[in-house]
Amino acid sequence: MAFIELSNISKVYGTTTVVEKVNLEAEKGEFISFLGPSGCGKTTTLRMVAGFEQPNTGSITLDGADITYLPPRQRNIGMVFQSYALFPNMTVGQNIGFGLQTRKLPKEEIKQKVDEMLAMVHLESHIDKYPYQLSGGQQQRIALARALAINPAVLLLDEPLSALDAKIRVELRLEIRRIQQTMGITTIYVTHDQEEAMLLSDRVVVMSQGHVEQIGPPSRIYNYPATEFVAQFVGQLNLLPVSAVDMASATCTVAGHTIRFETSVARELSESPRLAIRPEELQIGFPAAGEEANTLSGEIASVLFLGAIVRLRVLVNGVLITADIFNERNITFPRAGDEIVLNFSKHACWLI
Amino acid sequence: MKRTSFWSWFWVAIGSLYFFLPLLSTFDFSLRAKKGVLTFIAYENVFKDPQFWSTIRFSLVIALFTVIFSILLVVPTVYWIRLRLPQLRMLVEFISMLSYVIPAIVLVFGLIRVFSGAPFHLTNSYFGTYVLLVAAYVVLTLPFVFRAIDTGMSAIDVRALTEAAQSLGAGRGTILFRVIFPNLRVAILSSVFLTLATVIGEYTMASFIVGIKAFGPYMSLIGQNKTYESSSITIISFTMTWALMMVIQVFNRDKTKRSSLSGVR
Ligand SMILES: Nc1ncnc2c1ncn2[C@@H]1O[C@H](COP(=O)(O)OP(=O)(O)OP(=O)(O)O)[C@@H](O)[C@H]1O
Ligand SMILES: [Mg+2]
């Protein structure tokens, strides 16, 4: 039995179902992310695990015990909020010690634990400051320390970094991962930032409109999206109209070119199938030969310099295709109007 | 530019005269108890009167209980409305305003009628009347106590703080007394001082429920019977109210200083 299990949980507000039959099993020590667009029910699902909301149907178990209707304060779950939610009237030390005080631990033990937590987030010298005297990043570290001080069974974080600026965000997410790894704590992390989800998680749960689209390790989600939604939501994707499909030979016609595609992941095709390929899979150059090679030739419509990558828009017989190439210091930029050939392997593309 | 500043100063001056002139003349008058000289004898007389001290002590004690009960009533109510019943907010705000709309004289007659009969019989004992007076003042001060607490509560993220505390294992009592109350310090202090200022000078309810024991009726009695002392007592009560207002200002300033620092950096 998994450490945390959400079985078929649904949540209805009024007449709208905001979470629908969500199933999830997380092992002890696993880092799980909920990823999805705004309003898809990530927070609501997390709040049901925390106990702030109760599901209309389904159940939640933690380490074998049913906690579906247990009040939050009896769950031993640590929670970190987007708004930090530090107690403004308490010092950093008192904030971190709060959960230990409610557990009526002896003073000495509390002090020791507070020091230990502060050392973990590298803010030892701030113990007597008030939250308003700290920066946003520091406040969120304290909030993390406070949530972890009670040795929770599970750590829940709801977009903990979205109120911070980009640099601190990058810094702090590594910090979160490090702390999670050292403590080996089971973690559920809500975010709408896919980079964050991929970088942090052992497994990502992609959600849309209240239901789970796919659960899997980041690379699996990215390379083998289970649904069209996941394919489009995670990363960049070209979706090219297909005029004819021959399943027997696994070929199709795209913008006048015959393209071989991969059929290893068999899936039902939609009414008007499209060829999916990620921009970074397209190579520019001369036509490649071989069993598995595909070629599209067209004309460059625009060139966008994004730093590490250069994004080309290529017009192939009236179909616009995005191709990403790596930047190099001595790069000679292709120019709009240039004739260009795009190569890709048959393993790079699939039909949806 | 010049013209606007002239006219704005002009209106400020007119406003100040309108406000200060009567006060100054009252003060001046209070100093003229003896013919031809300025003297503080009217103030001395007031301070020497044991009834001045006993009534003011009585009113302070009543004010203290009013404060305690109204805070204990309003803070949990507002907290609960913000947390769970936001749809009731309009209704409760409306109810809290009723004592503005109903004249005190009507209110006090209603209270006496209801609570002097069975099963309360509150007017049969002194203690009963004190209880009735405190209760009446809680209602009377409800409009601004409610608003002050509500504003204070809107400045903190009640929901997130509550949930953070819950997840850390705190129960309702701990949350209210260790998290909510301390963060409403400024709002509570403002309502304490406003309540004090109102209750100490209140006349209508006090005179009907407890009579001359309270400071309001005492002031009015002096006003009717003693010419110069009535002016001096007006100045005294004005000064007290002002002192309270100033204390509120000091606390409010403290709050703005803190909140300007607490912006996300
Ligand atoms: N208390 C509530 N009453 C009614 N509807 C609600 C309530 N809480 C959330 N919802 C609705 O449920 C849906 C899911 O909300 P939720 O907060 O879980 O989304 P989310 O995935 O966390 O989005 P975001 O990324 O914007 O935080 C939304 O459409 C929201 O309007
Ligand atoms: Mg959310």
Side-chain angles (χ1 to χ4, degrees), chain A residues 72-74 98-99 102-103 150, chain B residues 164-171:
Chain A
R73 67 195 193 91
Q74 290 168 20
F98 185 85
T102 62
R103 282 165 172 69
I150 58 172
Chain B
Q166 280 178 328
S167 72
L168 293 167

Side-chain angles (χ1 to χ4, degrees), chain A residues 37-44 47 82 158-159 190-192:
Chain A
S38 188
C40 71
K42 306 179 295 286
T43 298
T44 308
R47 289 171 58 81
Q82 183 180 344
D158 190 357
E159 307 203 22
V190 165
T191 180
H192 55 245

Side-chain angles (χ1 to χ4, degrees), chain A residues 47 52 73 77 81 83 85-90 98-99 101-103 132-134 136 146 150, chain B residues 157 159-161 163-171 174 178-179 182-183 258 261-262 264-265:
Chain A
R47 289 171 58 81
F52 301 133
R73 67 195 193 91
I77 280 178
F81 301 83
S83 58
L86 292 176
F87 306 124
N89 57 311
M90 298 182 203
F98 185 85
Q101 262 188 357
T102 62
R103 282 165 172 69
Y132 72 91
Q133 296 171 309
L134 301 175
R146 180 181 68 177
I150 58 172
Chain B
D157 189 345
R159 173 173 291 265
L161 291 184
E163 289 177 352
Q166 280 178 328
S167 72
L168 293 167
T174 313
R178 289 209 44 212
V179 178
N183 285 307
R258 272 181 64 159
L261 273 172
S262 67
V264 177
R265 276 179 282 163

Side-chain angles (χ1 to χ4, degrees), chain A residues 98-116:
Chain A
F98 185 85
L100 304 169
Q101 262 188 357
T102 62
R103 282 165 172 69
K104 306 226 158 51
L105 294 185
K107 268 214 170 73
E108 266 313 298
E109 208 171 310
I110 295 179
K111 195 184 165 322
Q112 198 183 332
K113 188 80 189 173
V114 168
D115 289 343
E116 183 190 321

Side-chain angles (χ1 to χ4, degrees), chain A residues 332-352:
Chain A
T332 8
F333 285 110
R335 276 200 305 265
D338 288 357
E339 292 291 324
I340 196 175
V341 174
L342 300 171
N343 298 311
F344 55 100
S345 130
K346 82 169 204 184
H347 301 295
C349 59
W350 71 98
L351 278 191
I352 4 189

